[in-house]
Amino acid sequence: MKYNSSLLLIAFCLITSLTVSAQNLKLNQTQVIGSHNSYKSQIAPELLAFLTKVNPAAAQSLEYSHIPLESQLDLGLRNLELDVFHDPEGGRYSDPKGLQIIKSAGGNIPDYDPSSALSKPGLKLFHVQDLDFQSHYLLFADALKALKIWSENHPDHSPVFILINAKDGNVPGTRPTLPFTASALDSIDLEIRTYLGIDHLITPDLVKGKFSNLESAVLAGNWPKLDDVRGKFLFVLDENEEKTDLYLSAKPELKNAVLFVNKKEGNSTAGFRIINNPAKDEEYIRELVKKGYMIRTRADSDTKEARTNDYSTFESAKASGAQVISTDYYLTSTFFKSDYKVIFEGNQYERPNFVLVKN
C-alpha cells in the first residue's frame, strides 16, 4: 500500500505535537526551528547579477528564498522573522530603482506588487529597499491577516515565535528610509493588535503575571504551559539598544506591550534574548536557558553553511538549548547544489528542549 507524502508529513507533525503536549511542558521547555527573513521571495536574476559585480559576497548572501508564510507553518515551522519599514503615508517604496536595472539587462519586470500595496499607508515588509524588494506580502498588515486566518484554521497549533526587525538603515544608491521613532515603533504594536488581535498574542504582561517585572517572572519559571497558549504568537523586537530603548519609552517596563525586547540579563525587561552565534556562545546560551530565559539563535547565515554542508553551527544550536533556531534551509537550496537541510531527528521542526527536559 502506498502512502501519500503529505499525509505522512501531517502524521509526523501530529506525533511531534502530541509528544510535546503529553509532557505538559512550559513554553520555554520546547525547541523549534524556523526561518530567517521569512517573507523573502526570489530576487530577480538580473539584480543578482548586477549585485555580484558590485559586491560578490553580499550578492551571494542573497541567494535564498522562502515558500509563503502559511506553507512554512503547514510544514511545521514555528518561528518566523519579518522586516518592517516605516511608511505612514504610503508610496515611499513604490517603483523600486531595481526595476531599471532589470529593464536595462533585458529582463522581464516581475509582477512584484499586483495590488499596489506599496502605495498604501502602513508598515512595509521586504528585505532591502530598491534592491531585494520582492516579498510574499509587501504590507505587514496583509501578512498579519494571513497569519490570523491560518491560525484560526489551525486553532490548536503550537505557539509561533516571530522576530521583528525595524529597518531604517540606509544603503548606498537606494532611497533613504524613514527612521523608527518611539511612535513609529509603537505603530508595530498597533498593527499587530489591529490585524492579528490580542487574543492571538503571548505578551510580556501575560508572562509577568503577578511578579514585579518580566525578568523576575522569567527567573521564577513563570512561562505559561504550552497547552495554555496554543493558537497564539509571541513577538520579539530584534533590535539594537538605542531602538529598544525608544520602544521602551513608549512602553515603560513593557506594560501593555505586544513585543518582548532583546535586553541583556539583569534588566527588568529581560526575558527573550537574541544570541546568533551558538558556535561561539553555546555554553553562555545554555546557562541562560537553565536560568529561565528564552533564546533565539541561528543554524546558518549568509548561505555559508549550506554551500559547504556544514552542520556544526546547527549542532551547537541544538546542544545550547536555545528554544528558537533560525535557518534559511528548512528545505534544501534551489539556487545551488547542496544537501544541507536543518531539521530535527525524525523529520520534525519541533521537539522537547533536552537541556530542560530529560529524555
Side-chain angles (χ1 to χ4, degrees):
M1 178 180 178
K2 293 184 178 180
Y3 292 91
N4 181 283
S5 59
S6 298
L7 291 177
L8 289 173
L9 177 60
I10 292 170
F12 271 128
C13 293
L14 179 60
I15 290 168
T16 305
S17 178
L18 291 174
T19 300
V20 173
S21 178
Q23 297 187 47
N24 200 25
L25 301 180
K26 289 190 173 184
L27 184 63
N28 64 316
Q29 293 176 315
T30 60
Q31 194 172 48
V32 305
I33 290 169
S35 60
H36 158 255
N37 291 343
S38 312
Y39 53 84
K40 181 173 154 50
S41 51
Q42 184 168 337
I43 187 171
E46 296 83 6
L47 273 175
L48 201 57
F50 171 82
L51 293 172
T52 298
K53 295 177 183 177
V54 176
N55 188 330
Q60 191 175 77
S61 74
L62 298 177
E63 288 188 307
Y64 67 94
S65 62
H66 292 297
I67 58 178
L69 301 180
E70 304 96 317
S71 298
Q72 294 179 47
L73 296 175
D74 284 341
L75 196 63
L77 273 62
R78 290 297 179 262
N79 162 234
L80 303 171
E81 182 184 67
L82 306 177
D83 292 345
V84 295
F85 290 76
H86 187 41
D87 186 20
E89 296 181 2
R92 187 172 190 85
Y93 303 103
S94 297
D95 191 24
K97 293 181 181 180
L99 296 178
Q100 291 303 314
I101 297 172
I102 296 171
K103 188 175 180 180
S104 297
N108 294 319
I109 300 299
D111 189 16
Y112 67 97
D113 188 12
S115 63
S116 298
L118 290 173
S119 68
K120 300 173 184 176
L123 294 161
K124 302 305 184 294
L125 182 62
F126 53 84
H127 191 215
V128 182
Q129 67 272 21
D130 287 326
L131 297 174
D132 197 6
F133 54 83
Q134 290 186 244
S135 171
H136 288 293
Y137 289 102
L138 287 168
L139 283 179
F140 184 49
D142 286 344
L144 294 170
K145 292 174 188 176
L147 292 176
K148 183 176 183 179
I149 291 170
W150 181 89
S151 182
E152 291 180 350
N153 286 334
H154 304 80
D156 294 326
H157 70 80
S158 50
V160 179
F161 303 93
I162 301 183
L163 271 66
I164 300 291
N165 292 147
K167 300 191 79 169
D168 55 10
N170 289 314
V171 178
T174 67
R175 70 196 68 194
T177 57
L178 289 178
F180 269 95
T181 61
S183 60
L185 289 164
D186 201 24
S187 75
I188 301 173
D189 272 38
L190 179 60
E191 290 207 10
I192 294 171
R193 287 177 180 273
T194 301
Y195 299 109
L196 185 57
I198 192 66
D199 291 344
H200 285 280
L201 301 178
I202 301 168
T203 63
D205 282 337
L206 186 153
V207 177
K208 175 183 172 183
K210 296 181 180 179
F211 287 85
S212 60
N213 57 58
L214 177 63
E215 186 176 53
S216 297
V218 164
L219 294 176
N222 204 47
W223 292 103
K225 291 284 183 65
L226 186 64
D227 285 343
D228 291 339
V229 286
R230 290 190 175 277
K232 296 183 183 293
F233 298 79
L234 185 152
F235 286 82
V236 185
L237 180 63
D238 179 11
E239 277 300 341
N240 59 32
E241 195 81 8
E242 180 182 1
K243 218 174 285 185
T244 298
D245 287 343
L246 280 174
Y247 178 72
L248 289 171
S249 73
K251 291 286 189 286
E253 289 298 311
L254 295 176
K255 185 176 181 181
N256 298 321
V258 167
L259 305 175
F260 288 74
V261 293
N262 179 30
K263 276 288 189 181
K264 193 171 182 179
E265 60 275 15
N267 187 284
S268 60
T269 58
F272 199 112
R273 296 290 316 282
I274 314 295
I275 304 174
N276 283 329
N277 190 342
K280 172 177 170 287
D281 294 318
E282 181 181 330
E283 288 297 328
Y284 175 41
I285 294 172
R286 189 181 296 114
E287 288 174 9
L288 294 179
V289 167
K290 288 180 177 178
K291 288 178 180 178
Y293 300 95
M294 294 195 73
I295 312 292
R296 180 267 199 174
T297 195
R298 293 185 68 174
D300 45 73
S301 61
D302 299 328
T303 75
K304 294 175 182 176
E305 287 83 357
R307 292 179 188 277
T308 57
N309 284 301
D310 179 5
Y311 287 90
S312 59
T313 304
F314 179 42
E315 291 301 323
S316 292
K318 288 191 291 183
S320 74
Q323 289 90 347
V324 180
I325 302 172
S326 177
T327 181
D328 290 319
Y329 298 99
Y330 49 89
L331 299 172
T332 55
S333 176
T334 58
F335 287 80
F336 49 84
K337 185 173 177 56
S338 172
D339 295 326
Y340 182 82
K341 179 180 176 180
V342 170
I343 196 167
F344 294 133
E345 295 77 6
N347 289 320
Q348 300 168 0
Y349 295 100
E350 178 183 5
R351 69 177 188 177
N353 191 326
F354 295 124
V355 168
L356 300 175
V357 180
K358 298 298 181 183
N359 271 314

